Amino acid sequence: MPVESVFPQLEALLPLVTKPVQYVGGELNAVTKPWDSVSVHWALMYPDAYEVGVPNQGVQILYEVLNEHPDALAERTYAVWPDLERLMREHGVPQFTVDGHRPVGAFDLLGLSFSTELGYTNMLTALDLAGVPIHARDRDESHPVVVAGGHAAFNPEAIADFVDAAVLGDGEQAVLAITEIVRGWKSEGRPGGREELLLRLARTGGVYVPSFYDVDYLPDGRIQRVAPNRPGVPWRVAKHTVMDLDEWPYPKAPLVPLAESVHERMSVEIFRGCTRGCRFCQAGMITRPVRERSARTIAEMVDNGLAKTGYEEVGLLSLSSADHSEIAVIAKGLADRYEGTETGLSLPSTRVDAFNIELANELTRNGRRSGLTFAPEGGSERMRKVINKMVTEEDLIRTVATAYGNGWRQVKLYFMCGLPTETDDDVLQIAELASRVIETGRQVSGTKDIRCTVSIGGFVPKPHTPFQWAAQLDHETTDARLRKLRDAIRADRRYGKSIGFRYHDGRPGIVEGLLSRGDRRVGAVIEQVWRSGARFDGWSEHFSFDAWMAAAETAFAGQPVDVDWFTTRERDQAEVLPWDHLDSGLDKDWLWEDWQDALADVEVEDCRWSPCFDCGVCDQMGTEIQVGPSGSTLLGMPALPPRGAGLVASAADR
Amino acid sequence: MARQAPVRDVAPTVQRLRMRYAKRGRLRFTSTRDFQRALERALRRTGVPMAYSQGFNPHPRISYTNAAPTGTASEAEYVELAVTTELDPEAVRAALDAALPPGLDVLEVVAVRSPDFAERLEASVWVIELPGVGRETATAAVAAFLAAGDVPVQRLTKSGMRSFDARGPVVRLEVRPDAPGAEDADGAPCAILDLVVRHVTPSVRPDDVLAALRLVADLVPPVPSRVTRLAQGPLVADASVGAAMDAVTDPLAPDRG
Ligand code: B12
Ligand code: SF4
C-alpha cells in the first residue's frame, strides 16, 4: 500500500511559520526511495530543530547505510518548532519526514538519535504528532517500533516508558541487523505480533527492550535488582563496536541542506574512541577502544566529500583529533593538496600542547589565525589530577605563549565547575591563570591586542564514567562560585579587560543530571513536564527550570526519591545503578577504582602508549586498539581536477 | 604586529555571465541567503573557475539583484558571475542546472555584453493566486485599491519598520477573467491577480499590495496566497495595454547581441 506525501496539507501551513525552508527537504544527496520497493521502512529522527539535527553525522551515516540496503529505506524527521506544531495539530497534519514528507506513523521503525538528554520532550511531541501512543505499552502492530540510539542511549531508563528498544554504541552494523530481523518477521507474516518481534530483537543480546526487564526497588528508593522477565532475554545487553573504520567510510555522500545549519561545513571522522581517560567524559568512556581511520582513507573521504558537497570547509572530527597517530601526515598532506584553493581545514583543537598549535598553523597556512580553543577543564592543578586531565600550569602557559607567538590573537579556554572535591579556590584559580595567559601573551606577541576567553559550565556526572557515583553540585553553589569567578576576573585591573567570561548557569545542568542518571521513575517527570508544555529544552529561550521542578514535585509525590536524590546524592559502591545491566564493556570494579584514584588525586595513563590497564572493554567486547601509523600517505592520489574542465568555450564560440 | 591578509595571485576576471533562474514549488521557501549558499556550492562542485575577491576571507565574485522574497516563487531571478576563463554559457547553464536541486532551475546563461543591468530591471510582473477568494470580492477590492490616491502600508525592513505607499508604484493590478484555473482543484473559488509594479525603494512587494487590499477593502484571504514573479525587465512605453506579461521586455536582450 503506497504511503502518500502529506506535503500538500503541510504546504498551506508553511507561509505562516518561521523559516519554512527547514521543513521542505531538498537537501543535496538526499534519497527518496519508492515506498513499495522495499520491505523495511526506517524513519530517523534527531530530536532537535532541523538546523541542529541536519548536520549530525550519526544520522547521516545510518541514513546512507540503510538506503544502500536493497530492501530498506530511511527518511529523516526533526523536531518542529511550536508555531508549526500548533498549526499541525489544528489542521491534523502528522509528524512527517523531510525526504518524502511521509507520515512518521507509517514507518516500521522510528530510530531516534540522542546525543543529549535534552531532546526527550521533543521525542514525545513527535510521537504524539505522529499519532503514535507515547507509551510503548499502548502501541500495537500498526505502530513503528521506537528505537533510541546515540550516547544518551547508554542509560535509556528515563525514557523506558516511551521507547520500545535502545541500541548502545555504533549504529552501522546494528541497524542492518535490526533490519534483517524486521524483514524476516514481516515476510513470515508477522508471527506473534509486536511482542514476538521485540523478543527476536532482545534475544540477540544487542538490543535492549526495557519492557522485558523488571525493576524492583528497596524501601529507601534504591534499586534492588533489574531482571529479565521473558525466557531467552539476556541479563545484560552489550554495546556495538565497529572495527576497521576504513571499511565504513560513511557518509560517502554527505547531506547539504538548503537551510542554514549550526555546522556549515563538512565533517570527516578521523577516529572513534578515546583512551585519554578524562574521568568526566562519558563519550571517551563509552566509545573505547580507539579505532583510527588511515591517513589515506581520510584524505579520500575529504576529496570525495568536497566533490559531492561543494563545501568550503572540512572539519576533521573525533574526540581528540590531535591524538591521531598520523595527524601530522594528514594535516600537512591536506594542507599541501588544497593550497591555493579556497578550501579551509579545521581541527577542533582542545589538546593543550605545542604540537596542537603546529597543526593549527599548518591548517591555516594562508588563512586567518583568529582563535584557538583549549580545554584544561579543571581550574587548578589539583582538579586536573582529579579529572585525569594531565596538564600542568606550565604546559598551559607555554602552549598559549606559542599560540600568541604564532600570530593567534584569541585563545579560548574551557572549564567545568562543580567537579568532585572542588572548592571555591579551585575555580578562582582560573582568574589567576587567565591573567598569566594575557601577561605572557602580551610579552610574546608584543601587542595588547590579544584576548583570552574563559568559558565555563556546570559539570554533570554521567553513567558509565568513574564519576557516576559522584554528587552533582547543586545549582545555587555552582552559580555562586561562577559569580565569584566573574568578580575576580572583573577585579583584575591590569588584564581583566582582555579576558572574556562566558558561563552557563547551573539550573539546566540539574535537569540534565536528573535525566542522565535517572531511572524509570523519571519517565513520569518527562511526561508531566511535556504535558505542561516543555519543548526544546536544549534552548535557553524555551527551557523552564521551574516547569521541570514543578513536574518533578507532582511526579515524585509519595515516593522516597526527588530531584536531589537523583542529582546531588553521592552513591556508594554497593548501590545497583539503573544502567548496570547495560554493558559498555567497562568493568564496574575498574570504574570504582578509578573513582577512588580520582579522590586521591591519582592519575592514570593512556593505554595507547602505556600497557593496558584493564578497563575491561577490549576483553568484554572482543575489541582491540586500532591505531597507526598505518604508513599510508597521500602520495599517488589523483590530482584535483582542473577548474572549468568541460565548461570552456571552444574557439568557435568566441 | 598584526598579520596582513596574504596577497595572492588571484586570477583576473576575463568574462562575466548573467543568468536567469527560477525558484519553483517547495523551493520557493528558500531565502536569498539559502540560494546564495546553494549556488556557491554548486559552482564549486561544477568547477566553474570563479574570480575571487582579495583578503582574509576571499569570496567568489557574484552579484545578486533584486531577489524575490522568501515564500514567493519566481521565473525570473537574475545573478551575475565573474569567471577567470572564457566559458561556454550554455555548458555553464546545463552544469549548474544539474548541480542545483530541482526547483532551483537555471533557465538561461548569457555572456555579458552590456552594462547597467540593474537599471534595466525597471519593473516586475507578478501573479497572485488567492485560494478561497471569489472573483467578485477580488474585483471589488482591486477597484477600491486602484481608486485610492495612495495606500500607506508598513513593513519591517532591514532599516526597521517603514511606512510607504503601496499604490504609487503599481502600474497594473487586475483580476483575471474567468478562465480555467480560476477555481481550485476541489472547486473552491480562487481569484488570480495580475500585478505589474515599478521597482522603487523601499520596494513594493506582492505582500504589500495584499496588505493594501486588506486596508482599503478588508480583503483577508482565508489561506495564504501563492505568489509567482513571472518576469522582470524594462517597462514598455504603454504598460497598461495588452497582456500583463507584455508590460516588461527581456532584460537580457542587449546581451544576446
Ligand atoms: C560535531 C559535534 C557537535 C556539533 C554538531 C552537532 C550535531 N548536530 O551533530 C555542535 C557544535 C552543534 C554540537 C553541539 C553540542 N554538542 Co556536540 N559534538 C560534536 C562531535 C565533535 C562530533 C559528533 C559526531 O558527529 N560524532 C560522530 C557520529 C558518527 O557519532 P554519533 O552521532 O554518536 O552516532 C553513532 C552512534 O551513536 C550511533 N547512533 C546515533 N544515533 C543512533 C540512532 C539509532 C536508532 C541507532 C541504532 C544508533 C545511533 O550510530 C552512529 C554511528 O555509529 C562530538 C564528539 C564526538 N567525536 O562524537 C560532540 C558531542 C557529541 N557533543 C556533545 C555535547 C555535550 C554537545 C552539546 C550539548 C554542547 C552544549 N553544551 O551546547 C551541544 C548539543 C547540540 C544538540 N542539541 O544536539 C558531547 C556529548 C556528551 C556525551 N554524553 O557523550 C560530545 C560527545 C562531546 C564530548 N566529548 O563531550 N556538537
Ligand atoms: S581494555 Fe585496555 S587497551 Fe582496551 S581500552 Fe581499556 S585500557 Fe585500553
Side-chain angles (χ1 to χ4, degrees):
Chain A
M1 203 178 54
V3 168
E4 300 285 322
S5 162
V6 301
F7 193 71
Q9 295 93 289
L10 177 67
E11 190 173 20
L13 310 180
L14 292 182
L16 307 172
V17 303
T18 50
K19 293 200 217 153
V21 65
Q22 65 185 309
Y23 304 116
V24 305
E27 300 87 355
L28 185 70
N29 300 325
V31 175
T32 312
K33 289 188 172 182
W35 188 262
D36 289 331
S37 67
V38 301
S39 60
V40 180
H41 309 88
W42 281 84
L44 296 174
M45 177 172 201
Y46 193 90
D48 203 329
Y50 178 84
E51 64 189 75
V52 178
V54 76
N56 178 257
Q57 294 294 292
V59 169
Q60 290 199 23
I61 292 171
L62 303 183
Y63 176 74
E64 203 174 322
V65 166
L66 286 166
N67 278 320
E68 279 180 2
H69 190 296
D71 205 18
L73 66 74
E75 301 199 2
R76 292 157 301 124
T77 182
Y78 302 94
V80 301
W81 287 106
D83 60 347
L84 182 57
E85 180 191 340
R86 196 173 348 97
L87 289 166
M88 285 165 69
R89 289 187 189 282
E90 205 176 297
H91 295 268
V93 178
Q95 179 79 22
F96 55 87
T97 59
V98 296
D99 305 275
H101 289 93
R102 288 161 173 154
V104 165
F107 286 75
D108 298 305
L109 296 129
L110 169 61
L112 289 132
S113 183
F114 289 110
S115 28
T116 144
E117 296 82 4
L118 295 174
Y120 291 165
T121 52
N122 286 348
M123 161 179 69
L124 295 187
T125 309
L127 289 172
D128 194 43
L129 282 174
V132 177
I134 64 164
H135 293 119
R137 61 170 181 272
D138 296 332
R139 291 177 202 141
D140 62 33
E141 251 182 81
S142 70
H143 299 118
V145 172
V146 179
V147 189
H151 291 180
F154 276 79
N155 176 26
E157 289 300 89
I159 49 170
D161 288 351
F162 317 121
V163 299
D164 296 295
V167 170
L168 281 60
D170 296 336
E172 288 85 342
Q173 290 157 315
V175 292
L176 292 176
I178 293 172
T179 300
E180 279 319 308
I181 290 173
V182 173
R183 190 177 141 183
W185 172 78
K186 281 182 87 171
S187 73
E188 289 164 35
R190 308 175 188 241
R194 197 175 177 88
E195 160 100 4
E196 165 76 16
L197 173 60
L198 291 173
L199 263 176
R200 289 187 188 187
L201 292 169
R203 284 182 179 145
T204 62
V207 178
Y208 174 52
V209 178
S211 62
F212 293 164
Y213 295 79
D214 290 330
V215 183
D216 299 324
Y217 300 96
L218 296 164
D220 66 5
R222 287 177 303 153
I223 293 173
Q224 183 174 29
R225 72 169 205 162
V226 180
N229 58 24
R230 300 279 194 290
V233 173
W235 281 84
R236 297 190 81 202
V237 181
K239 77 160 177 180
H240 298 258
T241 313
V242 169
M243 298 304 291
D244 201 349
L245 289 184
D246 280 358
E247 298 283 318
W248 296 87
Y250 293 89
K252 296 174 184 166
L255 294 169
V256 187
L258 286 161
E260 186 165 9
S261 81
V262 296
H263 205 68
E264 284 287 307
R265 61 177 92 100
M266 198 181 92
S267 301
V268 172
E269 223 187 331
I270 65 173
F271 63 87
R272 275 197 194 154
C274 178
T275 38
R276 291 235 150 211
C278 304
R279 293 179 172 125
F280 55 83
C281 180
Q282 184 189 38
M285 293 289 162
I286 62 180
T287 58
R288 296 171 171 213
V290 172
R291 291 145 289 147
E292 289 185 352
R293 280 203 167 103
S294 66
R296 181 59 177 248
T297 304
I298 291 165
E300 283 168 1
M301 286 178 74
V302 170
D303 246 29
N304 166 67
L306 287 174
K308 293 223 175 97
T309 62
Y311 273 124
E312 218 175 4
E313 194 185 336
V314 186
L316 301 176
L317 279 190
S318 73
L319 287 168
S320 180
S321 294
D323 286 348
H324 192 290
S325 64
E326 295 178 303
I327 192 66
V329 176
I330 297 167
K332 173 152 193 324
L334 290 175
D336 287 348
R337 193 167 170 79
Y338 293 101
E339 175 131 38
T341 72
E342 282 67 36
T343 305
L345 298 160
S346 67
L347 271 194
S349 49
T350 55
R351 213 174 91 176
V352 188
D353 62 27
F355 175 63
N356 205 354
I357 298 173
E358 264 171 56
L359 289 173
N361 289 347
E362 191 71 279
L363 295 178
T364 52
R365 267 184 212 171
N366 41 25
R368 185 205 287 275
R369 293 194 175 159
S370 44
L372 273 185
T373 304
F374 301 103
E377 310 283 6
S380 66
E381 208 140 321
R382 189 187 71 80
M383 272 335 297
R384 292 195 289 274
K385 285 197 172 129
V386 171
I387 62 179
N388 202 41
K389 192 99 190 179
M390 289 179 275
V391 184
T392 63
E393 180 153 346
E394 289 320 308
D395 287 341
L396 185 79
I397 296 296
R398 211 172 320 119
T399 305
V400 296
T402 317
Y404 290 123
N406 277 283
W408 297 87
R409 285 289 161 264
Q410 156 104 306
V411 166
K412 231 192 232 171
L413 300 175
Y414 275 79
F415 296 96
M416 278 184 291
C417 175
L419 291 161
T421 77
E422 180 188 277
T423 64
D424 282 1
D425 181 58
D426 291 304
V427 168
L428 286 172
Q429 285 192 34
I430 295 172
E432 289 159 40
L433 194 66
S435 300
R436 275 196 71 193
V437 164
I438 295 294
E439 184 183 17
T440 319
R442 287 185 187 174
Q443 275 163 18
V444 297
S445 66
T447 167
K448 282 197 170 183
D449 182 27
I450 53 156
R451 281 189 71 72
C452 164
T453 302
V454 169
S455 185
I456 183 162
F459 163 65
V460 179
K462 292 277 162 116
H464 305 280
T465 69
F467 291 166
Q468 63 183 356
W469 290 279
Q472 184 173 353
L473 190 61
D474 64 89
H475 64 90
E476 290 91 349
T477 314
T478 302
D479 291 343
R481 210 166 266 174
L482 291 176
R483 267 196 305 274
K484 285 181 196 158
L485 174 60
R486 186 195 55 197
D487 294 344
I489 291 174
R490 285 205 183 143
D492 181 345
R493 291 257 186 92
R494 281 186 70 190
Y495 304 119
K497 286 215 159 40
S498 301
I499 303 171
F501 184 62
R502 293 185 43 198
Y503 70 98
H504 303 280
D505 80 278
R507 301 198 306 176
I510 292 294
V511 173
E512 195 188 328
L514 171 71
L515 299 175
S516 66
R517 287 195 295 173
D519 60 32
R520 294 186 181 187
R521 292 168 292 192
V522 173
V525 183
I526 301 172
E527 181 173 344
Q528 175 73 26
V529 77
W530 173 74
R531 291 198 186 282
S532 77
R535 306 284 188 274
F536 288 90
D537 290 297
W539 296 69
S540 54
E541 59 272 48
H542 288 272
F543 174 79
S544 165
F545 183 71
D546 296 339
W548 276 94
M549 292 307 113
E553 189 94 6
T554 318
F556 290 145
Q559 300 212 39
V561 297
D562 58 14
V563 173
D564 289 346
W565 192 87
F566 283 103
T567 56
T568 56
R569 180 180 63 98
E570 183 170 338
R571 282 72 161 165
D572 64 29
Q573 188 175 10
E575 180 163 344
V576 177
L577 301 173
W579 51 90
D580 277 351
H581 57 299
L582 300 173
D583 192 0
S584 59
L586 295 157
D587 181 23
K588 199 177 176 190
D589 291 337
W590 178 80
L591 282 174
W592 179 262
E593 266 169 49
D594 204 38
W595 169 225
Q596 298 309 306
D597 283 350
L599 295 174
D601 305 351
V602 174
E603 294 157 303
V604 41
E605 286 288 332
D606 189 315
C607 59
R608 272 168 298 181
W609 31 85
S610 72
C612 168
F613 46 80
D614 286 321
C615 76
V617 170
C618 291
D619 202 25
Q620 183 73 8
M621 297 294 151
T623 55
E624 58 179 12
I625 310 179
Q626 291 181 333
V627 292
S630 67
S632 70
T633 63
L634 277 55
L635 293 175
M637 281 185 64
L640 294 174
R643 286 242 176 114
L647 302 173
V648 179
S650 65
D653 294 334
R654 289 186 197 176
Chain B
M1 190 193 71
R3 266 171 60 89
Q4 297 285 314
V7 180
R8 320 156 164 238
D9 345 320
V10 288
T13 301
V14 305
Q15 187 187 37
R16 286 177 198 281
L17 298 170
R18 261 175 210 146
M19 80 180 212
R20 175 166 76 97
Y21 71 93
K23 200 166 82 158
R24 294 171 172 155
R26 59 180 174 160
L27 293 207
R28 72 177 185 278
F29 293 108
T30 51
S31 69
T32 315
R33 280 175 49 78
D34 297 335
F35 174 75
Q36 290 176 359
R37 279 192 309 274
L39 175 64
E40 289 181 21
R41 287 169 186 157
L43 287 165
R44 283 193 289 270
R45 286 197 303 280
T46 47
V48 173
M50 293 299 296
Y52 273 78
S53 64
Q54 281 282 4
F56 267 128
N57 285 315
H59 43 264
R61 294 192 185 277
I62 307 175
S63 31
Y64 299 89
T65 348
N66 222 15
T70 308
T72 59
S74 177
E75 292 295 315
E77 299 297 291
Y78 294 91
V79 159
E80 197 172 301
L81 314 173
V83 296
T84 60
T85 313
E86 193 150 328
L87 304 177
D88 171 12
E90 176 49 27
V92 173
R93 190 207 63 76
L96 281 180
D97 188 45
L100 283 164
L104 294 178
D105 301 325
V106 182
L107 305 175
E108 300 180 73
V109 174
V110 298
V112 171
R113 296 211 172 94
S114 63
D116 302 333
F117 180 73
E119 279 86 282
R120 259 179 266 156
L121 300 183
E122 283 175 349
S124 285
V125 181
W126 300 92
V127 57
I128 305 174
E129 294 168 65
L130 297 171
V133 175
R135 232 166 48 84
E136 270 86 277
T137 321
T139 308
V142 166
F145 173 82
L146 293 175
D150 57 8
V151 187
V153 295
Q154 286 201 325
R155 173 159 45 88
L156 199 59
T157 69
K158 268 184 225 137
S159 42
M161 197 53 118
R162 293 271 304 255
S163 185
F164 51 89
D165 174 28
R167 171 65 188 90
V170 172
V171 180
R172 289 170 70 151
L173 178 63
E174 55 214 25
V175 183
R176 264 197 207 165
D178 258 336
E183 280 186 355
D184 251 1
D186 43 3
C190 178
I192 299 179
L193 311 188
D194 286 303
L195 169 68
V196 180
V197 199
R198 208 170 326 103
H199 296 161
V200 292
T201 315
S203 59
V204 169
R205 311 187 313 196
D207 52 330
D208 301 318
V209 173
L210 289 171
L213 291 176
R214 179 184 198 141
L215 280 175
V216 297
D218 258 339
L219 181 75
V220 183
V223 295
S225 54
R226 286 192 296 265
V227 178
T228 307
R229 169 140 71 193
L230 296 179
Q232 312 186 58
L235 262 179
V236 297
D238 192 356
S240 55
V241 296
M245 207 23 218
D246 298 333
V248 298
T249 58
D250 178 8
L252 294 179
D255 295 305
R256 282 188 235 277

